[in-house]
Amino acid sequence: MAIVTTIRREVLTLPAAELGPDNPLPPLRPLDELHRVDDRDDLPSEMARQIGYEPLRSLLPVHLRDGYERVREPRGIDALVIENDRLRATVLPGLGGRIASLLHKPSGRELLYRNPVFQPAAFALNGAWFSGGIEWNIGATGHTTLACAPLHAARVPAPDGGEMLRLWEWERLRDLPFQVDLWLPDGSDFLYVGVRIRNPHEKPVPTYWWSNIAVPERRRILAPAQQAWHFGYERRLRTVPVPTHEEIRQLPHAADYFYDLPDARRRWIAALDEDGHGLVQTSTDVLRGRKLFVWGSGPGGRRWQEWLTEPGTEGYCEIQAGLARTQLEHVRLDPESEVSWLEAYGPLNSPAQAEKAEERLEAVLPRADVDAAYAAWKPHADTAPGEILATGSGWGALEVLRIDRKLPGTPFDDSTLGEAQEPWLELLRAGVLPESGRVRPPGETLVAQHWRDMLETAPAGPHTEYHLGVAQWHAGDRAQAVRSWERALELAPSVWPLLRCLAVSDQEVGNRERAADRYAEAFDDLCRERRDAGEAWTAATAALGREAIEALLAVGRTGDARSVWARLRPATRARGRFRFIEAGLLVAEGRREEARAVFEEGFEVADLREGAEAVGRLWERVSDEPLPDRHDFRMR
């Protein structure tokens, strides 16, 4: 039989906001994590153990992505299309490998929620994320740091002799390489997705995976469970009966429902419209969990829906599939081992009862066929990629050089090494971290133990001491980190990055006055040092200025905070985040009416975090009136 599956390049043109530059300051503060459980005493022992198993406490070595705004213009986004005579999947390799669209060609139905715009928002662990399609969440509880990052992509021979699209990258929070293989057997109504995560290290590593599928909001969600674990952003899990479609429609606030699937049951979840048409996702048994997320019908949830796309468009909910029963858990991956599974996505037409839907799924895609497809794919997971279709980061190439071993199927080629990796490559090969040859904001820091060990034995220049301090801070050795930064101050040509690190340390131990002093000194030094109005210096000034103003206001030094504000770039002061900061500064100065005027003129804090209530709290300080709808993002 002729194989007719094709893979081709396309450019997807959407109203899109620019991602902008990353925040150059290392994220030293602990995560403000919404998805946390305070009481685990009444949970099943395995669940409680996995919730407590090495939850993520830091974003390092990843930087924050907060340079985007909310001005959208038509822009071209590189896409890869994999297609047979039944399905067409549009993949965005430069944006985390997101499947933006899954079109069933015979019926003309889009099976996913397809966002008509590209609008980053602060939902990923490191900031920028966007809604819609199918995303691959690896790393730790939350949306992956790779949500808006490029992945490697290539053609690979598929199990049936056709072509397969492979995506792969090195996930830096847990230092784990992973791959996602997508293929469409000839004549198949289902997209097959083979996933593999490898631990090449000599110690166990906590692992996390959830495939996140956005579907139109009004779909009826079905899964083979009678009970679910409910999480309502109140830091507790409790068991409830699986809610009905009508109950879900009436929920006032955002909520997660983790379906409690019996061990022997087939793993699947479906989202069907009122006529019984829609999407089903199923998998081999390793992908154990299934989940529903809804925004709720309250004003906060509606505002978030508008925020992530645009008013007047269809809302969405999320159905998900993961390695554990809930997203608050991390699973142990043993040394030099791997975990893999197969997923299938396709259309389903069924009455809206779980039993009937499972019967229909078995008729169109038997459980045995999914297991057989996994068995057929697994030997191909090591197949060397052919034509390279997209390029990810150079961090995987650096780590492969460090561990001195190949990873069959996922080559991290030396050609992908770039400027960010150059100093670390020198440290690896020569044992020396080179001092920066020019004045510029500091580069990225590597913090894993093996890199920290190399920094500790390298010649102790100021650049090395700075990065060593960041690595020590990440490891929890705060006192030694402070000593490293203080040693670097004596010789460093650029002191503001060190002063900023020391200021964060002061804040963490409650010394707010000294933190404010160091922030003010750091900002003065940056303003003397900055060389131009280019992207790197503007991002550094904005990031440090924002932290400095907050630290100075915390100790009542409004005059110094105003001085920092005045030295920000005009374009920075015009951004929504900084208009909000300005309103807070005006309130601190006793200029309440002028602060209210900032609200009335309008602003949008582009990087407002999920669950953030800061805008509402500031509004209460400038007005006795109810919070305007455009600023209502409450999730509880």
Side-chain angles (χ1 to χ4, degrees):
M1 180 182 292
I3 302 298
V4 297
T5 299
T6 61
I7 300 173
R8 67 178 186 276
R9 301 177 191 269
E10 272 194 5
V11 175
L12 186 65
T13 300
L14 294 174
E18 285 191 287
L19 274 172
D22 286 1
N23 186 322
L25 306 182
L28 300 177
R29 292 182 177 84
L31 288 173
D32 182 19
E33 179 52 65
L34 281 176
H35 305 87
R36 189 167 74 237
V37 176
D38 291 336
D39 185 0
R40 301 196 294 269
D41 291 344
D42 295 329
L43 301 179
S45 58
E46 182 192 47
M47 183 184 294
R49 183 176 65 253
Q50 292 186 159
I51 288 174
Y53 177 46
E54 294 195 34
L56 191 68
R57 304 188 189 281
S58 168
L59 278 179
L60 288 166
V62 177
H63 276 195
L64 288 170
R65 309 204 74 174
D66 60 4
Y68 53 89
E69 281 297 318
R70 293 185 56 79
V71 177
R72 295 192 289 266
E73 298 176 353
R75 305 181 197 275
I77 299 173
D78 290 337
L80 298 171
V81 176
I82 178 169
E83 182 173 14
N84 66 0
D85 58 342
R86 309 290 294 177
L87 285 176
R88 180 188 304 135
T90 302
V91 182
L92 308 180
L95 295 170
R98 182 80 59 100
I99 299 180
S101 168
L102 186 60
L103 181 72
H104 184 236
K105 294 163 69 173
S107 65
R109 291 190 178 94
E110 173 61 60
L111 300 181
L112 306 173
Y113 167 74
R114 182 171 183 169
N115 197 332
V117 305
F118 171 69
Q119 177 56 65
F123 278 62
L125 286 164
N126 63 331
W129 172 87
F130 64 107
S131 64
I134 305 172
E135 63 175 309
W136 318 111
N137 286 311
I138 181 173
T141 299
H143 294 283
T144 176
T145 62
L146 296 167
C148 290
L151 304 189
H152 302 280
R155 299 179 193 269
V156 184
D160 61 359
E163 286 190 320
M164 183 162 63
L165 174 61
R166 174 164 298 161
L167 307 165
W168 74 98
E169 192 39 288
W170 192 280
E171 199 286 312
R172 300 179 66 204
L173 294 179
R174 303 298 197 182
D175 265 337
L176 297 176
F178 71 98
Q179 71 190 77
V180 179
D181 289 354
L182 303 98
W183 80 101
L184 286 164
D186 186 30
S188 174
D189 272 332
F190 284 84
L191 173 69
Y192 287 157
V193 181
V195 183
R196 175 168 65 167
I197 306 171
R198 286 186 274 196
N199 177 9
H201 307 296
E202 296 177 351
K203 63 178 183 178
V205 178
T207 309
Y208 175 93
W209 182 279
W210 282 81
S211 301
N212 185 358
I213 310 136
V215 294
E217 185 177 32
R218 294 183 178 275
R219 296 281 169 94
R220 186 181 298 270
I221 309 303
L222 303 175
Q226 299 297 317
Q227 287 196 311
W229 293 93
H230 172 263
F231 183 77
Y233 298 82
E234 296 158 345
R235 294 181 177 172
R236 68 188 183 107
L237 276 169
R238 58 189 177 91
T239 53
V240 297
V242 168
T244 66
H245 181 58
E246 291 70 25
E247 289 170 338
I248 291 169
R249 292 278 303 273
Q250 295 171 14
L251 287 171
H253 299 296
D256 296 331
Y257 290 94
F258 300 100
Y259 294 101
D260 194 7
L261 275 61
D263 288 341
R265 289 294 293 271
R266 182 176 185 176
R267 289 7 179 181
W268 63 273
I269 190 167
L272 307 180
D273 64 19
E274 58 186 12
D275 296 321
H277 299 287
L279 171 83
V280 65
Q281 186 271 2
T282 187
S283 71
T284 49
D285 288 353
V286 166
L287 203 63
R288 176 181 185 178
R290 292 299 185 274
K291 173 196 167 181
L292 165 66
F293 167 78
V294 293
W295 280 109
S297 59
R302 306 326 303 163
R303 184 67 180 111
W304 274 121
Q305 292 268 32
E306 294 175 351
W307 188 255
L308 295 169
T309 176
E310 56 186 14
T313 55
E314 186 178 27
Y316 76 96
C317 62
E318 294 170 356
I319 56 174
Q320 303 188 24
L323 281 175
R325 277 183 285 189
T326 75
Q327 283 180 323
L328 292 84
E329 301 169 67
H330 297 91
V331 178
R332 175 188 166 110
L333 188 57
D334 287 331
E336 300 181 340
S337 69
E338 64 181 51
V339 60
S340 61
W341 63 90
L342 184 124
E343 305 179 45
Y345 296 82
L348 188 70
N349 179 16
S350 172
Q353 293 92 33
E355 293 78 10
K356 296 294 184 181
E358 186 162 342
E359 290 176 9
R360 180 60 182 157
L361 172 60
E362 187 64 22
V364 297
L365 184 64
R367 185 178 189 177
D369 286 5
V370 176
D371 292 336
Y374 171 73
W377 164 72
K378 196 62 171 64
H380 291 259
D382 282 345
T383 302
E387 179 191 359
I388 300 297
L389 300 172
T391 304
S393 78
W395 296 112
L398 180 68
E399 293 295 341
V400 165
L401 286 171
R402 185 194 63 79
I403 62 176
D404 192 27
R405 63 180 283 194
K406 300 297 183 183
L407 295 170
T410 55
F412 293 97
D413 194 82
D414 289 0
S415 64
T416 63
L417 293 164
E419 183 180 3
Q421 292 82 40
E422 283 178 5
W424 301 98
L425 187 61
E426 183 73 11
L427 177 65
L428 179 65
R429 289 175 169 169
V432 177
L433 191 72
E435 293 297 319
S436 179
R438 56 192 173 95
V439 176
R440 59 181 176 179
E444 296 191 56
T445 301
L446 295 179
V447 297
Q449 181 177 339
H450 40 265
W451 292 106
R452 188 171 74 251
D453 291 344
M454 282 184 258
L455 288 168
E456 287 176 345
T457 58
H463 195 223
T464 302
E465 294 281 16
Y466 165 79
H467 287 290
L468 175 57
V470 175
Q472 290 165 332
W473 181 270
H474 174 263
D477 193 350
R478 303 294 175 84
Q480 192 58 55
V482 168
R483 285 193 284 271
S484 295
W485 293 326
E486 288 176 340
R487 284 195 302 267
L489 272 177
E490 300 173 6
L491 298 173
S494 177
V495 299
W496 66 265
L498 295 158
L499 288 169
R500 182 263 175 177
C501 291
L502 290 167
V504 173
S505 174
D506 288 333
Q507 288 178 320
E508 290 297 300
V509 297
N511 196 335
R512 300 193 303 167
E513 288 288 352
R514 190 167 65 181
D517 288 340
R518 281 175 161 160
Y519 265 121
E521 187 180 352
F523 194 77
D524 289 346
D525 185 65
L526 183 150
C527 290
R528 286 191 297 267
E529 184 177 287
R530 61 186 179 186
R531 295 296 188 261
D532 52 49
E535 185 177 84
W537 283 110
T538 298
T541 305
L544 184 60
R546 174 176 168 177
E547 292 185 12
I549 290 171
E550 292 171 353
L552 290 162
L553 289 180
V555 294
R557 290 167 57 174
T558 56
D560 290 336
R562 176 61 68 179
S563 174
V564 172
W565 169 263
R567 286 175 288 167
L568 296 171
R569 304 287 190 192
T572 299
R573 292 200 298 264
R575 292 173 57 186
R577 162 60 67 180
F578 288 86
R579 292 286 285 156
F580 173 61
I581 291 172
E582 181 187 21
L585 179 56
L586 288 166
V587 169
E589 293 170 331
R591 300 155 66 182
R592 180 177 172 184
E593 290 305 316
E594 292 175 70
R596 178 173 177 130
V598 173
F599 274 88
E600 291 173 348
E601 290 166 13
F603 60 83
E604 292 185 318
V605 181
D607 61 330
L608 197 67
R609 291 293 295 179
E610 179 184 8
E613 297 174 356
V615 177
R617 288 196 297 269
L618 183 58
W619 173 257
E620 291 174 355
R621 298 177 65 188
V622 303
S623 176
D624 297 326
E625 299 173 11
L627 180 66
D629 288 345
R630 68 180 181 275
H631 294 305
D632 189 351
F633 294 92
R634 289 171 290 193
M635 293 180 64
R636 55 180 180 171

